[in-house]
Amino acid sequence: MIFVAVSMGFIAEQIREHIIDRHHEQVYMESMAQDLRDDSVQLQKIADAYLNRFINSADSTSLLLAGFDPAQPANGLYYHLRLTIRFMTIRVYIRDRTITQLKNSGSLRIVENKAVSDSITDYYNKIDVIRELEDYLYKEKNELRQILPVLLKGEMYDKVIDGNDRLIHPEGNLFARSISESQKSELMLKVSDIKGLTKNIYGRILVLQEQANRLRRLILSSYGISANALPAE
C-alpha cells in the first residue's frame, strides 16, 4: 500500500508539472507570436532602408567615382559617400524578449512541438549570422571612412548634413581633391566590397522576414492562438 501511495504521489506530481509546463509553453508561444509579428514589420523597414538608401547609394557612388573629374562639382560624391558609410543594425529592431526568457530560464525544453522548437532555433541562428555579417560590414565602412580624406575636403564634408545629422543636398558647389588612379581604384574597390556585403545582408533580411511570418503562422495554428487576440504593437 505504501508503494502504491508513493507511486500515485509521484504520478500526480508528474501530471501537475506537465500541466504547468503546458501552461507556460502556451504563454511563451503567445509572447513569441507577438515578437515575430513585430519582427516582420521592423525587418521590412530595415530591408527598405538597405535597398533604397545603402545599396542605391553605393551604386551611385561607384558611378560617380568612375567618372570623377576634380574640375567638376562633386556634390553627389559627398552626399553618397557620407550615406554609404552610415550604418544600421538589426540588433536594435529584433524583439528577443521571449527567446531570452526561454534561454535564461532553461524553458526552451518545454516546447514539445518539435517543428516549432526547431524553427525557433533556426530563426535565431539566422539572426546571429546576419549580426556577424553586420559586424564585418561595420568594419568595412569604417575602413572606407578612414581613407575618405584623400578625396573629400573637411570644410565641405559637413555641408551635406543639417543640424540634426540628416543628409541634405546643399546649395552651392562642393569640390573634391585630385587623386591618383590607384587612390581612386582603392576607393572603388572598398565601395564595391561594401555594396556586395550590403546586398548579401539585404537578401538574408528578406529571407528572415519570410521565416518570421511562417514561424508565426506555425505557432498560431499549433497552439490555437487567434491573431486578433494578441495585443497590438
Side-chain angles (χ1 to χ4, degrees), residues 140-158:
E140 290 287 303
K141 289 186 176 236
N142 189 54
E143 289 177 359
L144 175 61
R145 171 65 183 82
Q146 299 306 311
I147 61 176
L148 286 185
V150 303
L151 174 66
L152 306 183
K153 299 179 179 180
E155 67 272 19
M156 296 187 179
Y157 189 65
D158 263 355

Side-chain angles (χ1 to χ4, degrees), residues 47-108:
D48 290 344
Y50 262 77
L51 178 62
N52 298 325
R53 296 176 61 192
F54 301 125
I55 293 176
N56 289 347
S57 187
D59 284 337
S60 297
T61 300
S62 296
L63 292 173
L64 290 167
L65 282 170
F68 173 63
D69 179 355
Q72 299 298 318
N75 293 47
L77 267 177
Y78 278 93
Y79 180 91
H80 287 292
L81 276 169
R82 186 136 199 177
L83 179 52
T84 297
I85 64 172
R86 293 209 164 185
F87 180 74
M88 70 183 303
T89 172
I90 65 172
R91 280 182 172 85
V92 297
Y93 295 98
I94 291 293
R95 295 288 296 271
D96 59 359
R97 56 173 185 171
T98 305
I99 190 64
T100 299
Q101 292 171 3
L102 284 168
K103 288 181 176 179
N104 290 346
S105 64
S107 297
L108 196 55

